[in-house]
Every structure is written in structure tokens, then in C-alpha cells.
Amino acid sequence: MAIPGASDKLDAATFEQILEMDEDEEEREFSKSIVYDFFGQAESTFDKMDSSVKDLKTLSELGHFLKGSSATLGLTKVKDSCEKIQHYGQKKDETGTKDITEEEGLEKLKTTIEQAKTEFHDVEKVLKKFYNDEA
Amino acid sequence: MRETTASGAPLHPPPPVDSVHGHSASSLVDLPSLPPADDSTLDLFRYTPIPTILLRIVELDALPVICQVSESLEAVSGACRREQLLGRTVDAFFDDNVNLPSVASAHNAIRVALDSKRPFQLEVVLADGRTAWSIRAVPIGRHGSPQYIQMELQNTTEERHRQLQLEERLYANETYRMLVETVKDYAIFMLDPKGLVATWNAGAQVFKGYTKDEIIGKHFSNFYGDEDRANDKPGRELRDALRDGRCEDEGWRYRKDGSRFWANVVITPVYREGTLLGFSKVTRDLSERKAAESQLIDAYEEASKLKSEFLANMSHEIRTPMHGMLSALTLLLDTRLNPEQLELARVIEESGEVLLQVINDILDYSKLATGSFSISHDIISVAEIIQSVFRAHQKVCKSGLTLETNLDPHLPQAAEGDSLRYRQIMQNFMSNAMKFTESGYVRVNATLKEEDDEFYTILTEVVDTGIGLPAGAASSLFTPFTQFEMNSTKRYKGTGLGLSICKSLAELMGGNIGYHPNPEGHGSTFWFTARLKKVNQLRIADALQEKLESLSAPSVTASPFEDIKLAATNTRILLAEDNLINQKVMLKMLAGLGFANIDRAIDGREAVTLATKHPPPYDAILMDINMPMLDGVAATREIRSLGVHTPIIAMTANALKGQAESYIAKGMTAYVAKPVDRKLLIKVLLKCLRGKTESPS
């Protein structure tokens, strides 16, 4: 099942595994509900991130949280950015190996959160199109 | 005629020639009142073996005249006859004979003897600088007024020569003694044959702080540190010096106040006529040189660290765009390309991958060089790692080449180590062997080399029948960048860093690495050892149990999918997952596998509560690692501590292999990486549930 325009945003194998859980390939009730749940979860998580811009620990936890679900859906780019948010929040570099300062962390978090949002909205568009919902 | 007077001081009177009159008020020898023509007196003078002239004082101011001459004088005077001399002054004798002292010196002797009224002896060296004479003038008379002078003349050339030699020797000895004693830049001293200090110089005092009195007679091991003394290094050095004739050493020596200095020491045995007198010991203080050396080393290390950091930064910077390029290339390869474009794209892909490998190597290397590389301590099975690397290479094996493994049955099932890094070394050895071997075999041997209470030492060898190494190349094999430079024109051959990275990795694992030629002929043997910590026996037992179970319970149906449906009946499962989306997907997936009874826990706390009800209600628990309240690891610890042995499967997005294995070490039964792959989940669940069907307790 190819999803048009999703090649770099989506891990096909993982997402297909979700799609296989749909009992009806036309309705796609299950996967659609999951994906839309994710949209909701992502929006609310980004909102929480926006309201805790100075709180590294919370940001890290939120990053981790969204990483889990984006990984489950195979949303590779969002997942990668969330992982970075998780690391920066722990005052580590993007691979989680070296220590960075709090200032660096906050600086990097700012841009990475924005990047995650953009990536999320990109993949959101693709998925909405896939579920024939372009509203 | 010139001459020198060696000694002009009047001497004490010699024992009187005629001892009848021992008494004398003055030092003037009294002449017995005998008639001058008395025979015995004449004979006395005539036959004395000492060349003698007797002079009579005629008038006080005039020169005395010769009245007797000994026959022995003729021997020294040459042509002069006794008879010719009688009645004349000493001038007649001394003059005109270059072999005799001058007239002046004879006059001088007479005058001093007369003036002092004491015997006077004069040492004369002739102008040739060699011939020496002794002139002795003895005034003889009564009542303090001398009437005769007895003059003795002796050739003392031989005696003087001996004396000079002796003096010279004494002088030389003294000079050396002073030289040694005053030298301050070297400690120079003698030890007796037992090693007790026998002499001491200024340098020794400056270096070691002991004064001469404090140290003479003490053993020289006082200068050594405790460890050296415990190893009997001082004694060994003396024995070495005796055996080799010399013993040189560099090391720490200690001063009286306990401070130490870096010394160069030379010990030499000293013999006289075949007998050992002792040892000379010369010590130099090399502290300054040592300090300069360590400064140089520091500077070098600093520079080398900067270099490594630079490399690490550069490779990191290069890697990011490289990844971008390679991903773009992957996409490009998926598009419609004509054969020529495809060919070119493949070349780019291949080169890109090599380049990425190079960069990764450099990154690894520079991390190792700066010491910022650590090794993880997970539970690993060496045999499994070797087999997995082996299988991977089997697939790409050239025809005509056999791959073999010899695994020691004593290899531990489990030990603490870093599987990723163990694999990296294996991988490197294997691919090198395959690259350079066209036919014959590549054989992997793994043996348990040593075992103690805490560690296993495992030796892994890769033996091939390939081209081997030219003699001399072996020494630089593990030096970084060597191959890099040699092969800079050959692409796809690697960085030349691989083996040096392996070396560092082996060392980080407490082991070693090496090369020797294949003992069965041409080809190479690369080996490394690793010291792996033992793990708790219980865990090994668990691992063995699991293995046995999987062997003894062969699958009853054709596909794992059927198996799991079978296994799922009448089971109850707990899913602990805080992310609702993940929870929903997992529930769906599990339902799809036939699991009808699934409970959910939203965090670790709830999971513990549910899992530890009595009796334990679940056949398996799927546990997310990062959860609020209580994380998966802590929850597992609590569950286990309450005596519940339900299989727990960790689910983690941090799916690094080593990390996942560490969860198992922390009490979990198995793990699956997130996003959860259904096939993998089936496999893991089957493993965990099999125990249940075997033993329904």
C-alpha cells in the first residue's frame, strides 16, 4: 500500500502494519481513528510544549511521549525530532551522548520544536489526503 | 755548572762514627786525642765504603785542606788519584768534573757545617736533571772549635728516582681522591662486596642528603623505594654487575628526607688482582631531563588530543550532509532511471557508503583517541555473536572458499560485555580474511583461554589461507592510518583505521590483539582476547532453561501465526503503556493474534498493582520502559521482588541492542523494539508462553 508523497516522512513497513489491522480496506476505521487520535495528541502536546518553554524536564518528557506514538505510526521525521527534544531537554546533544549547557538546550529546543511542528503538519497533510479528508 | 739544592736544612747528628765518646756537650763530634798517624784511624777513613774526604782546618778563614781520602772516593772521582788530592783544597776534587756537584755546593756544605757546628747534608741535582748527589759535612773538633771536616759524598740518583716516582704516585692518588670527593654533579662512591657504603662524596651528599658519617657502613638499598627493596632490586643489580661487568639502571631513588629523584645509576665491580674489592656506584640526577621529557609528552598528547577532537568534529560535520546525500540517492534510485543513469547512481551509492564507513571509522577512532569512548556491560553470548557474524559472511562467500567455525564447548553462555564492539572486531577480522583469501578456508576459532572467580578470558582467532602479510608489515598493522596512506590511491579498501580501532576496542575489553602467520602455511591469523566479567549463575541458568525449552518444544503447526493463535487461547495478558495511541495499536495487534483477555495499565505503578495480585493473574506482561509514576524497569524490579515470575517483555524505542539486553539483565524476560514489529512480537510471545504450556503452574 503506497502512500503518495509520504516516502521520506513515513516508515512504510510500520505504517502498513497499522493499515493491516483495518478490517475494511475501504473504511479503514481503525487506522484512521489511530491517526486522528495522533493528530489530536500531537496538537495538544505541542500546545503543552509552547506553554512550558523554559521547563527542560517537562519538554523532555513531552518529547519522549510524542516520540512513542509517532514511532508506532512510523512517522519517522516527527519521531526523530521528538527524540532530539527529549535529549535537549536532558541537556544532552542530539544523539544523547554529550552534555550541553542549559542555554544551548533551550536554544536548540526552540528551533527543534518548530521543526517538529512543521514536520508534523507536513505528514498530517499527506495522511489527511490519504484518508480523503482534505478539509 | 748549574745545580739545584734539594734540601739545605742541617740534619740531626748521625750516630758517631766512633762510638767510644758518646757524650758531647755540643753537637760537634769530639775527636779522640789520638795521633793523626794512628793506623786504625787511617784505615777507618781509607776503607770506609762511603766515599769520604777528611779535611783539616788550617786557619780559620782559609779553605780546609784534604788530609785523608777514602779509596771508595776514587770510584766516583774517576781519574783523580788519592795521592794527588792530599794537601789540596776541595776545589781540586770537585772542579772540572761534570759528574760531580759543583765546587760551590761543596763550599756551601762546609761553611754551613762550620757555622752551625752541626753535621750538614746537602742534596744536589746536577744540570742533567737526573744525577743526584748527597754531600754530608760533619764538623769534628774539641771544645766547640772544629778542627776537621769529614765530607761524605754519595750518588743518590737511584734513590731519588724512586722517591720521585713514589711522590708522583701519591700526588696522582691525592688528585683523584680530591676530584672524586669534590664533584657535586655526580654521586660517586664505593660499596664493599656486600653492598655496604664504603666511601661518600660531595655529590652523593647533595643528591641523597646523607652526610658521610650517617651513611658509611649502611647498605645501599637505603636509596631504593619500598617496592624495589621488596623485589630485591639492589641485590639483583649487584649480581647483574658481577655477571656482566656493569649494571645500568634508570629509576626513582630516595633521599634521606623521603623525597625522590629520577636517577641514572651505573654499578661496576672493582677488582684488585682478581679479588673483588667492592663496587663503584655512579649516580646522576636526571630529574630535569625527566621533567622535560614529560613536558614534551604532555605537549604531544595535547596536540594529539586536539587533532582527534578536530577529526571528531569534522567527521560529525561531514556525516550529516552525507546522510542527506545518501537518502536523496536512495530516492533517486527508486525513480525511473535509464541503465546509464542507474549505473552512475550505483557508483555514487557505493562510493557514498565507503565514504560514510570512512567517516564512521574516523569518528570511532577519534573518540577512542580522546578517551571519550566507553564500552557497555551487557549480558552477551560470545558464541552467538560469532555465529551471527559468521552467518552474515557465509551468504557472500566466494566459491572455492570454505568457512568454518570451531567453538570451544567451554565458552560461557553468558558474560558481561559489549556485543556491538565484540561484533565489530569479529566483523573486521572476517571481512579482511574474506577480502584477501581467494581459495582455501577462513576459519574462526574461539576458546576459553582462562577462567578465574570473576572473569573469563576468551581468545578469538580468524585464520585464513589468503595472501598473508609481507615480512615486516606485521609491526605496523595496528598503527592508525598506516594502510590509509599506503592505499590512498586504492578505493574501497578501507581506511586503515579498522585494525587500530579493533586494537583499542580489544584493550577496552581488557584484552589484547595480534597477528601471526597461519601455522599451516600461507595466510594469516588475526587474534584478540577479551576479559569478560562473569554474571550471576542464576541468570545463566535461566538462559539455559530457555534454550532447552525452545529446543524441546518444536512448533506443532506450520506457521508462527498459527502457533501464536494456539498459544493465545486461555491466556491473560497485561499491557503497561502510557501513550494511548500506542496502547490502542498494541491492543489491536494482540487481539489480531488471538489474545482475548488483555488488561491495561497506564503507568508502572498500576502495572505492579495488577501484576502482583494473588495468584498472579497474567501469563505475560508487555511493559513500556518510559512511563510516568514508575518506569518499566522499576516496576519490573518491584514485581520480581514480590516473588512474581510472570514473563515481562520490555518495549522500548531506545532499541540499541546493548541497551535492550541490559533490560534483560534487570529482570525482564525479553524485549521488542518500538515501533513493535508484529513478527518479532509473535516470536517473543511464543517463547514466553511456551513455558506456561509446559508447566501450567
Side-chain angles (χ1 to χ4, degrees), chain B residues 51-73:
Chain B
T52 307
I53 300 170
L54 188 67
L55 298 156
R56 181 164 357 116
I57 297 161
V58 188
E59 283 171 55
L60 210 59
D61 293 330
L63 284 170
V65 292
I66 297 170
C67 63
Q68 277 296 341
V69 176
S70 73
E71 284 186 353
S72 52
L73 191 78

PDB file of all heavy atoms in Angstrom, chain B residues 51-73:
ATOM      1  N   PRO B  51     132.190   7.098  50.043  1.00  0.00           N
ATOM      2  CA  PRO B  51     133.234   7.990  49.537  1.00  0.00           C
ATOM      3  C   PRO B  51     133.388   9.178  50.492  1.00  0.00           C
ATOM      4  O   PRO B  51     132.429   9.911  50.708  1.00  0.00           O
ATOM      5  CB  PRO B  51     132.690   8.435  48.165  1.00  0.00           C
ATOM      6  CG  PRO B  51     131.685   7.391  47.799  1.00  0.00           C
ATOM      7  CD  PRO B  51     131.127   6.896  49.070  1.00  0.00           C
ATOM      8  N   THR B  52     134.559   9.264  51.104  1.00  0.00           N
ATOM      9  CA  THR B  52     134.767  10.254  52.170  1.00  0.00           C
ATOM     10  C   THR B  52     136.066  11.020  51.966  1.00  0.00           C
ATOM     11  O   THR B  52     137.056  10.481  51.480  1.00  0.00           O
ATOM     12  CB  THR B  52     134.827   9.537  53.534  1.00  0.00           C
ATOM     13  OG1 THR B  52     133.656   8.724  53.680  1.00  0.00           O
ATOM     14  CG2 THR B  52     134.917  10.527  54.684  1.00  0.00           C
ATOM     15  N   ILE B  53     136.028  12.308  52.335  1.00  0.00           N
ATOM     16  CA  ILE B  53     137.234  13.156  52.335  1.00  0.00           C
ATOM     17  C   ILE B  53     137.341  13.721  53.742  1.00  0.00           C
ATOM     18  O   ILE B  53     136.344  14.189  54.298  1.00  0.00           O
ATOM     19  CB  ILE B  53     137.081  14.339  51.350  1.00  0.00           C
ATOM     20  CG1 ILE B  53     136.856  13.837  49.919  1.00  0.00           C
ATOM     21  CG2 ILE B  53     138.306  15.273  51.423  1.00  0.00           C
ATOM     22  CD1 ILE B  53     136.472  14.931  48.957  1.00  0.00           C
ATOM     23  N   LEU B  54     138.506  13.654  54.312  1.00  0.00           N
ATOM     24  CA  LEU B  54     138.704  14.325  55.607  1.00  0.00           C
ATOM     25  C   LEU B  54     139.497  15.594  55.354  1.00  0.00           C
ATOM     26  O   LEU B  54     140.564  15.596  54.749  1.00  0.00           O
ATOM     27  CB  LEU B  54     139.437  13.402  56.601  1.00  0.00           C
ATOM     28  CG  LEU B  54     139.509  13.941  58.024  1.00  0.00           C
ATOM     29  CD1 LEU B  54     138.122  13.986  58.665  1.00  0.00           C
ATOM     30  CD2 LEU B  54     140.460  13.105  58.891  1.00  0.00           C
ATOM     31  N   LEU B  55     138.979  16.711  55.855  1.00  0.00           N
ATOM     32  CA  LEU B  55     139.627  17.995  55.618  1.00  0.00           C
ATOM     33  C   LEU B  55     140.110  18.537  56.962  1.00  0.00           C
ATOM     34  O   LEU B  55     139.384  18.448  57.962  1.00  0.00           O
ATOM     35  CB  LEU B  55     138.615  18.980  55.010  1.00  0.00           C
ATOM     36  CG  LEU B  55     138.026  18.575  53.652  1.00  0.00           C
ATOM     37  CD1 LEU B  55     136.684  19.248  53.461  1.00  0.00           C
ATOM     38  CD2 LEU B  55     138.980  18.991  52.544  1.00  0.00           C
ATOM     39  N   ARG B  56     141.268  19.074  56.962  1.00  0.00           N
ATOM     40  CA  ARG B  56     141.752  19.697  58.194  1.00  0.00           C
ATOM     41  C   ARG B  56     141.654  21.201  58.047  1.00  0.00           C
ATOM     42  O   ARG B  56     141.919  21.766  57.008  1.00  0.00           O
ATOM     43  CB  ARG B  56     143.206  19.292  58.461  1.00  0.00           C
ATOM     44  CG  ARG B  56     143.697  19.939  59.768  1.00  0.00           C
ATOM     45  CD  ARG B  56     144.959  19.363  60.394  1.00  0.00           C
ATOM     46  NE  ARG B  56     145.539  18.239  59.760  1.00  0.00           N
ATOM     47  CZ  ARG B  56     146.774  18.300  59.201  1.00  0.00           C
ATOM     48  NH1 ARG B  56     147.441  19.423  59.144  1.00  0.00           N
ATOM     49  NH2 ARG B  56     147.313  17.228  58.692  1.00  0.00           N
ATOM     50  N   ILE B  57     141.220  21.802  59.172  1.00  0.00           N
ATOM     51  CA  ILE B  57     141.134  23.261  59.158  1.00  0.00           C
ATOM     52  C   ILE B  57     142.479  23.805  59.610  1.00  0.00           C
ATOM     53  O   ILE B  57     142.884  23.587  60.748  1.00  0.00           O
ATOM     54  CB  ILE B  57     139.988  23.740  60.065  1.00  0.00           C
ATOM     55  CG1 ILE B  57     138.655  23.214  59.499  1.00  0.00           C
ATOM     56  CG2 ILE B  57     139.934  25.277  60.174  1.00  0.00           C
ATOM     57  CD1 ILE B  57     137.528  23.195  60.446  1.00  0.00           C
ATOM     58  N   VAL B  58     143.116  24.496  58.693  1.00  0.00           N
ATOM     59  CA  VAL B  58     144.461  25.007  58.968  1.00  0.00           C
ATOM     60  C   VAL B  58     144.345  26.371  59.633  1.00  0.00           C
ATOM     61  O   VAL B  58     144.809  26.602  60.752  1.00  0.00           O
ATOM     62  CB  VAL B  58     145.293  25.128  57.671  1.00  0.00           C
ATOM     63  CG1 VAL B  58     146.738  25.461  57.990  1.00  0.00           C
ATOM     64  CG2 VAL B  58     145.199  23.815  56.890  1.00  0.00           C
ATOM     65  N   GLU B  59     143.697  27.250  58.939  1.00  0.00           N
ATOM     66  CA  GLU B  59     143.448  28.584  59.512  1.00  0.00           C
ATOM     67  C   GLU B  59     141.949  28.809  59.430  1.00  0.00           C
ATOM     68  O   GLU B  59     141.275  28.269  58.559  1.00  0.00           O
ATOM     69  CB  GLU B  59     144.152  29.657  58.664  1.00  0.00           C
ATOM     70  CG  GLU B  59     145.654  29.720  58.913  1.00  0.00           C
ATOM     71  CD  GLU B  59     146.305  30.638  57.901  1.00  0.00           C
ATOM     72  OE1 GLU B  59     145.844  31.807  57.816  1.00  0.00           O
ATOM     73  OE2 GLU B  59     147.194  30.183  57.163  1.00  0.00           O
ATOM     74  N   LEU B  60     141.490  29.643  60.320  1.00  0.00           N
ATOM     75  CA  LEU B  60     140.053  29.786  60.446  1.00  0.00           C
ATOM     76  C   LEU B  60     139.399  30.319  59.169  1.00  0.00           C
ATOM     77  O   LEU B  60     138.358  29.837  58.740  1.00  0.00           O
ATOM     78  CB  LEU B  60     139.734  30.715  61.618  1.00  0.00           C
ATOM     79  CG  LEU B  60     138.398  30.428  62.323  1.00  0.00           C
ATOM     80  CD1 LEU B  60     138.366  28.989  62.871  1.00  0.00           C
ATOM     81  CD2 LEU B  60     138.171  31.441  63.442  1.00  0.00           C
ATOM     82  N   ASP B  61     140.037  31.280  58.516  1.00  0.00           N
ATOM     83  CA  ASP B  61     139.417  31.885  57.352  1.00  0.00           C
ATOM     84  C   ASP B  61     139.815  31.230  56.034  1.00  0.00           C
ATOM     85  O   ASP B  61     139.201  31.475  55.006  1.00  0.00           O
ATOM     86  CB  ASP B  61     139.718  33.391  57.291  1.00  0.00           C
ATOM     87  CG  ASP B  61     139.029  34.118  58.436  1.00  0.00           C
ATOM     88  OD1 ASP B  61     137.933  33.601  58.846  1.00  0.00           O
ATOM     89  OD2 ASP B  61     139.557  35.122  58.925  1.00  0.00           O
ATOM     90  N   ALA B  62     140.831  30.393  56.082  1.00  0.00           N
ATOM     91  CA  ALA B  62     141.269  29.766  54.837  1.00  0.00           C
ATOM     92  C   ALA B  62     140.496  28.494  54.581  1.00  0.00           C
ATOM     93  O   ALA B  62     139.800  27.985  55.466  1.00  0.00           O
ATOM     94  CB  ALA B  62     142.769  29.445  54.937  1.00  0.00           C
ATOM     95  N   LEU B  63     140.569  28.019  53.352  1.00  0.00           N
ATOM     96  CA  LEU B  63     139.866  26.791  52.996  1.00  0.00           C
ATOM     97  C   LEU B  63     140.575  25.614  53.651  1.00  0.00           C
ATOM     98  O   LEU B  63     141.803  25.565  53.708  1.00  0.00           O
ATOM     99  CB  LEU B  63     139.895  26.608  51.478  1.00  0.00           C
ATOM    100  CG  LEU B  63     138.941  27.505  50.684  1.00  0.00           C
ATOM    101  CD1 LEU B  63     139.263  27.384  49.211  1.00  0.00           C
ATOM    102  CD2 LEU B  63     137.497  27.109  50.961  1.00  0.00           C
ATOM    103  N   PRO B  64     139.781  24.665  54.161  1.00  0.00           N
ATOM    104  CA  PRO B  64     140.438  23.500  54.770  1.00  0.00           C
ATOM    105  C   PRO B  64     141.144  22.641  53.720  1.00  0.00           C
ATOM    106  O   PRO B  64     140.764  22.680  52.548  1.00  0.00           O
ATOM    107  CB  PRO B  64     139.261  22.745  55.395  1.00  0.00           C
ATOM    108  CG  PRO B  64     138.024  23.289  54.768  1.00  0.00           C
ATOM    109  CD  PRO B  64     138.334  24.623  54.182  1.00  0.00           C
ATOM    110  N   VAL B  65     142.139  21.926  54.112  1.00  0.00           N
ATOM    111  CA  VAL B  65     142.878  21.108  53.142  1.00  0.00           C
ATOM    112  C   VAL B  65     142.598  19.631  53.373  1.00  0.00           C
ATOM    113  O   VAL B  65     142.255  19.201  54.480  1.00  0.00           O
ATOM    114  CB  VAL B  65     144.405  21.349  53.232  1.00  0.00           C
ATOM    115  CG1 VAL B  65     144.757  22.747  52.772  1.00  0.00           C
ATOM    116  CG2 VAL B  65     144.902  21.103  54.638  1.00  0.00           C
ATOM    117  N   ILE B  66     142.732  18.868  52.268  1.00  0.00           N
ATOM    118  CA  ILE B  66     142.412  17.448  52.319  1.00  0.00           C
ATOM    119  C   ILE B  66     143.530  16.712  53.034  1.00  0.00           C
ATOM    120  O   ILE B  66     144.702  16.854  52.686  1.00  0.00           O
ATOM    121  CB  ILE B  66     142.255  16.882  50.896  1.00  0.00           C
ATOM    122  CG1 ILE B  66     141.059  17.581  50.209  1.00  0.00           C
ATOM    123  CG2 ILE B  66     142.065  15.366  50.923  1.00  0.00           C
ATOM    124  CD1 ILE B  66     140.928  17.301  48.748  1.00  0.00           C
ATOM    125  N   CYS B  67     143.163  15.961  54.111  1.00  0.00           N
ATOM    126  CA  CYS B  67     144.207  15.193  54.785  1.00  0.00           C
ATOM    127  C   CYS B  67     143.990  13.696  54.648  1.00  0.00           C
ATOM    128  O   CYS B  67     144.884  12.901  54.877  1.00  0.00           O
ATOM    129  CB  CYS B  67     144.328  15.633  56.236  1.00  0.00           C
ATOM    130  SG  CYS B  67     142.851  15.337  57.202  1.00  0.00           S
ATOM    131  N   GLN B  68     142.798  13.295  54.328  1.00  0.00           N
ATOM    132  CA  GLN B  68     142.523  11.873  54.076  1.00  0.00           C
ATOM    133  C   GLN B  68     141.502  11.741  52.969  1.00  0.00           C
ATOM    134  O   GLN B  68     140.596  12.581  52.841  1.00  0.00           O
ATOM    135  CB  GLN B  68     141.970  11.209  55.353  1.00  0.00           C
ATOM    136  CG  GLN B  68     143.001  10.761  56.355  1.00  0.00           C
ATOM    137  CD  GLN B  68     143.904   9.664  55.827  1.00  0.00           C
ATOM    138  OE1 GLN B  68     143.586   8.982  54.851  1.00  0.00           O
ATOM    139  NE2 GLN B  68     145.109   9.515  56.438  1.00  0.00           N
ATOM    140  N   VAL B  69     141.628  10.674  52.195  1.00  0.00           N
ATOM    141  CA  VAL B  69     140.661  10.389  51.139  1.00  0.00           C
ATOM    142  C   VAL B  69     140.385   8.894  51.165  1.00  0.00           C
ATOM    143  O   VAL B  69     141.323   8.108  51.226  1.00  0.00           O
ATOM    144  CB  VAL B  69     141.204  10.774  49.739  1.00  0.00           C
ATOM    145  CG1 VAL B  69     140.209  10.367  48.656  1.00  0.00           C
ATOM    146  CG2 VAL B  69     141.479  12.259  49.663  1.00  0.00           C
ATOM    147  N   SER B  70     139.140   8.493  51.134  1.00  0.00           N
ATOM    148  CA  SER B  70     138.848   7.052  51.149  1.00  0.00           C
ATOM    149  C   SER B  70     139.051   6.476  49.763  1.00  0.00           C
ATOM    150  O   SER B  70     138.920   7.192  48.763  1.00  0.00           O
ATOM    151  CB  SER B  70     137.419   6.806  51.625  1.00  0.00           C
ATOM    152  OG  SER B  70     136.521   7.187  50.625  1.00  0.00           O
ATOM    153  N   GLU B  71     139.344   5.228  49.736  1.00  0.00           N
ATOM    154  CA  GLU B  71     139.571   4.594  48.422  1.00  0.00           C
ATOM    155  C   GLU B  71     138.287   4.580  47.619  1.00  0.00           C
ATOM    156  O   GLU B  71     138.295   4.660  46.402  1.00  0.00           O
ATOM    157  CB  GLU B  71     140.096   3.167  48.626  1.00  0.00           C
ATOM    158  CG  GLU B  71     141.549   3.175  49.042  1.00  0.00           C
ATOM    159  CD  GLU B  71     142.140   1.784  49.115  1.00  0.00           C
ATOM    160  OE1 GLU B  71     141.378   0.810  48.968  1.00  0.00           O
ATOM    161  OE2 GLU B  71     143.365   1.692  49.308  1.00  0.00           O
ATOM    162  N   SER B  72     137.198   4.493  48.383  1.00  0.00           N
ATOM    163  CA  SER B  72     135.923   4.426  47.664  1.00  0.00           C
ATOM    164  C   SER B  72     135.650   5.726  46.897  1.00  0.00           C
ATOM    165  O   SER B  72     134.865   5.747  45.971  1.00  0.00           O
ATOM    166  CB  SER B  72     134.780   4.147  48.651  1.00  0.00           C
ATOM    167  OG  SER B  72     134.839   5.079  49.727  1.00  0.00           O
ATOM    168  N   LEU B  73     136.353   6.812  47.311  1.00  0.00           N
ATOM    169  CA  LEU B  73     136.141   8.074  46.595  1.00  0.00           C
ATOM    170  C   LEU B  73     136.672   8.009  45.175  1.00  0.00           C
ATOM    171  O   LEU B  73     136.123   8.619  44.267  1.00  0.00           O
ATOM    172  CB  LEU B  73     136.802   9.233  47.351  1.00  0.00           C
ATOM    173  CG  LEU B  73     136.410  10.619  46.828  1.00  0.00           C
ATOM    174  CD1 LEU B  73     135.024  10.990  47.338  1.00  0.00           C
ATOM    175  CD2 LEU B  73     137.412  11.674  47.249  1.00  0.00           C
TER     176      LEU B  73
END
